[in-house]
Amino acid sequence: MKLTIHHLYADMMNLYGDRGNVLSIKKRCEWRGIPVEVVDVGVGEPIRPTGCDVFLFGGGQDREQALLAGDLAGKKGAELRAIVEDGGVVLGVCGGYQLMGHSYETPEGEKLPGIGVFDLHTEPRRPGEERLIGNVLVRVELGGESRELVGFENHGGRTYLGDVEPLGTVLYGHGNNGRDGTEGARRLNAYGTYLHGSLLPKNPWFTDHLILSALRRVDDSFELEPLDDTLERRAFEAMASRLRGRGGS
């Protein structure tokens, strides 16, 4: 059983080390002897699911988002919606997350269409409002467990959720809009978040959740071999403890 990582717009949407998310999934599969392939998907190139896939959509600048919004408005956007409806595993970060909603409005007032995987929209910051920048600690309820994610956010847009669950609750940081305490969104096996970091190397449990969700689409009894995450847990706890000490609960 081989897992295929589809890195969407790898050359355009890769801010703050988002490619580390690709590397984290790849290495954690390889350490377990799970065959894995990385496929970069650019503008004008089709998506070719294999049945055991993870789709990663990183962050980018407004210019890049505007360039690829047209590409997503056609067949590729419809294919991604179908993949999500079928239970495919998708992770969007920052700009990628914004374009998984209905629309993203730039500071210049241009409204870019999203693919509508999530019932949300993103507005530009108002005059006098600052960018939302800094480290973030989020509580996530997933699979009957309460877990935490750490990451780094840097966005001017304010995202407002409609009929969709947030990925988690902000314990420290700003999250979707700096007002309602939500961070990210999730639907079926699709996740959106503002957490760069890179997100997945900082949060190996979430990396394994994505890997296992993809593999169980082929074999629902599949289990992942445990890895020695001693160093990763220390790094996570160092950051999480620092943020809790700044006011996170």
Side-chain angles (χ1 to χ4, degrees), residues 77-116:
E79 289 173 343
L80 282 170
R81 285 193 296 275
I83 286 166
V84 171
E85 290 301 323
D86 191 42
V89 179
V90 183
L91 172 66
V93 176
C94 199
Y97 165 45
Q98 292 169 340
L99 290 176
M100 291 172 73
H102 294 303
S103 64
Y104 165 63
E105 186 175 344
T106 71
E108 293 73 32
E110 182 182 7
K111 186 171 285 189
L112 305 177
I115 60 175

Side-chain angles (χ1 to χ4, degrees), residues 9 43-47 66-82 99 113-117:
Y9 309 109
V43 171
E45 296 178 339
I47 298 172
L67 288 172
L68 59 85
D71 192 51
L72 287 170
K75 185 178 178 183
K76 192 178 290 181
E79 289 173 343
L80 282 170
R81 285 193 296 275
L99 290 176
I115 60 175
V117 163

Side-chain angles (χ1 to χ4, degrees), residues 4 11 20 50 125 131 203 207:
T4 301
D11 58 339
T50 66
R125 56 178 162 159
R131 290 184 67 84
N203 301 279
T207 314

Side-chain angles (χ1 to χ4, degrees), residues 36-238:
V36 59
E37 180 181 12
V38 179
V39 177
D40 289 350
V41 183
V43 171
E45 296 178 339
I47 298 172
R48 294 192 172 92
T50 66
C52 185
D53 311 276
V54 176
F55 301 85
L56 297 178
F57 194 176
Q61 304 287 351
D62 288 352
R63 176 179 178 277
E64 281 75 21
Q65 287 181 253
L67 288 172
L68 59 85
D71 192 51
L72 287 170
K75 185 178 178 183
K76 192 178 290 181
E79 289 173 343
L80 282 170
R81 285 193 296 275
I83 286 166
V84 171
E85 290 301 323
D86 191 42
V89 179
V90 183
L91 172 66
V93 176
C94 199
Y97 165 45
Q98 292 169 340
L99 290 176
M100 291 172 73
H102 294 303
S103 64
Y104 165 63
E105 186 175 344
T106 71
E108 293 73 32
E110 182 182 7
K111 186 171 285 189
L112 305 177
I115 60 175
V117 163
F118 300 130
D119 183 16
L120 60 82
H121 71 283
T122 301
E123 302 174 0
R125 56 178 162 159
R126 299 169 185 164
E129 288 185 331
E130 297 182 346
R131 290 184 67 84
L132 304 179
I133 303 172
N135 291 306
V136 188
L137 177 66
V138 178
R139 178 175 293 134
V140 176
E141 307 293 335
L142 198 61
E145 290 187 82
S146 181
R147 307 292 296 265
E148 291 178 337
L149 293 172
V150 295
F152 173 78
E153 63 181 336
N154 184 352
H155 54 104
R158 272 59 171 170
T159 294
Y160 296 95
L161 306 184
D163 186 17
V164 64
E165 277 188 272
L167 173 60
T169 303
V170 176
L171 300 178
Y172 184 88
H174 304 288
N176 281 327
N177 49 54
R179 297 188 184 96
D180 64 13
T182 65
E183 206 295 315
R186 64 183 179 190
R187 181 162 175 265
L188 301 174
N189 283 322
Y191 304 89
T193 179
Y194 274 112
L195 301 187
H196 296 280
S198 306
L199 170 66
L200 297 184
K202 285 185 172 179
N203 301 279
W205 74 266
F206 192 54
T207 314
D208 285 352
H209 172 76
L210 300 181
I211 294 171
L212 189 59
S213 297
L215 294 172
R216 283 187 173 173
R217 285 171 51 77
V218 179
D219 178 356
D220 62 8
S221 65
F222 197 95
E223 296 291 345
L224 292 177
E225 294 178 20
L227 297 175
D228 181 359
D229 286 331
T230 303
L231 287 177
E232 289 85 347
R233 280 197 292 272
R234 284 180 183 170
F236 175 89
E237 274 305 321

